[in-house]
Amino acid sequence: PCASRTVADFLGSYSGPLMLAPALRRSIFGLGPWARFVRLRGAFDALLAEDVAHRRAEQRTDRTDILSMLLSTTYEDGSSIGDADLREQLRSLLVAGHETTATSVTWALFHLLREPAVLARVLDEIRSAGPDPSPEALAKLPYLDAVCHETLRLHPAVPIVLRTLTEPLIVDGVRAPAGGIVGIVLPLLHSHHDVWTDAARFDPERFFGRRYTPFEYAPFGGGHRRCVGFALAEFEMRIVVATVRSRVRLALPDRALRRPPPVSVPHNIATSPRRGITFEVRELIKTEENSQH
């Protein structure tokens, strides 16, 4: 319970103003939002350091979780990742890996309920996987995969990918010095007219049987700093969408069907719908598993 409280308090401590206004990142006699964030980050890092130390001492080679993969990773010179970098990667995974996926699942269900033909095709594909498909089987369904990719194109959870320049860069006549911070605005990248036709429309067919380059589609960033949790997020999103749609018949209120989709707005480090999205449960679908309860 203490560890859970520490994690929850830390996740709630980094607000939008702290992210967007560097001037606020200072404490006044150990008080204020920044001081609270630094204190909770330290407590959270202590938990991570304890876990990392335990894993290093364990020296098991049969684990396949992300921490074990990071511990076994080496750089080109043969050195391994340090504890400070490990904590940063794990911190990013936890901070950016829960609300973002939940919001993406909400967007996927929202668009499916507004597109009956797309929904019918997804349901047919899920049924074709059998009465009790494994998570791995659900994650490999091609049309469901396309639906999730299209959802992330329209609604990237983190809308701006920031990078620190290691050398000067000129983009469209604008010069940025080495050490400067530049950002890629993903909604603009994901709607560029040279790549995306009728970009505002939800159309999973764009991704069916096609893969885009990271210079066209990058919901998890790109390069060696791509989100460490991208594989988990994609896997989780597909399983949750498939499970919900196969076990519950949902509907949107009539008003939500008549109105344009809500826009995405900043919420802490990510985005969320400006107005709430409500689903109506019309029917619980019987399956072999839930009929036993």
Side-chain angles (χ1 to χ4, degrees):
C2 292
S4 298
R5 185 72 267 165
T6 298
V7 174
D9 289 345
F10 170 69
L11 292 176
S13 67
Y14 196 62
S15 61
L18 286 178
M19 179 179 67
L20 299 173
L24 297 178
R25 298 174 200 165
R26 61 186 66 183
S27 62
I28 303 175
F29 304 110
L31 301 174
W34 180 248
R36 180 173 183 269
F37 165 75
V38 171
R39 183 175 66 255
L40 292 171
R41 182 181 62 186
F44 182 53
D45 278 358
L47 292 177
L48 294 177
E50 182 180 349
D51 197 23
V52 169
H54 174 74
R55 289 296 188 87
R56 287 196 187 279
E58 193 178 45
Q59 294 185 339
R60 284 178 54 179
T61 59
D62 58 335
R63 291 185 181 272
T64 57
D65 57 88
I66 289 179
L67 175 54
S68 298
M69 293 171 62
L70 290 171
L71 285 170
S72 65
T73 299
T74 58
Y75 295 109
E76 292 181 356
D77 62 1
S79 62
S80 60
I81 185 170
D83 286 358
D85 286 339
L86 267 176
R87 288 196 299 273
E88 286 193 5
Q89 293 284 6
L90 295 173
R91 195 191 306 138
S92 298
L93 178 63
L94 290 169
V95 169
H98 64 295
E99 183 181 356
T100 50
T101 305
T103 301
S104 297
V105 168
T106 300
W107 278 121
L109 295 173
F110 173 82
H111 284 291
L112 286 174
L113 293 174
R114 288 171 61 95
E115 301 288 344
V118 175
L119 175 59
R121 185 168 177 179
V122 167
L123 292 176
D124 285 344
E125 186 178 61
I126 294 172
R127 283 192 287 265
S128 72
D132 188 23
S134 67
E136 291 78 10
L138 292 175
K140 293 179 180 178
L141 295 176
Y143 195 70
L144 175 63
D145 180 75
V147 166
C148 293
H149 278 305
E150 177 70 344
T151 300
L152 292 172
R153 181 188 71 84
L154 286 171
H155 310 284
V158 179
I160 300 179
V161 176
L162 298 177
R163 293 291 185 266
T164 301
L165 296 177
T166 58
E167 57 185 47
L169 177 70
I170 299 176
V171 177
D172 199 21
V174 178
R175 178 184 295 272
I181 297 176
V182 298
I184 300 173
V185 182
L186 295 181
L188 295 180
L189 179 68
H190 292 175
S191 60
H192 196 284
H193 57 81
D194 287 346
V195 179
W196 311 100
T197 303
D198 196 6
R201 184 165 59 94
F202 181 76
D203 180 16
E205 291 289 336
R206 308 176 198 273
F207 289 91
F208 196 60
R210 175 176 176 179
R211 295 289 180 181
Y212 292 87
T213 74
F215 299 99
E216 300 168 326
Y217 175 73
F220 299 101
H224 71 282
R225 296 293 297 179
R226 183 170 61 166
C227 174
V228 67
F230 82 94
L232 172 64
E234 290 194 333
F235 189 72
E236 183 180 20
M237 184 179 177
R238 284 147 184 75
I239 293 170
V240 173
V241 171
T243 301
V244 171
R245 290 307 305 136
S246 62
R247 300 189 181 187
V248 182
R249 188 167 70 86
L250 300 175
L252 289 171
D254 290 341
R255 184 183 181 188
L257 292 172
R258 294 192 300 267
R259 299 172 68 181
V263 298
S264 295
V265 296
H267 181 71
N268 292 335
I269 66 168
T271 63
S272 62
R274 171 173 287 174
R275 64 174 187 270
I277 294 177
T278 301
F279 300 112
E280 297 176 350
V281 178
R282 297 290 177 84
E283 179 186 4
L284 296 178
I285 301 172
K286 290 184 178 181
T287 65
E288 182 177 345
E289 179 178 339
N290 63 31
S291 65
Q292 297 174 358
H293 296 281

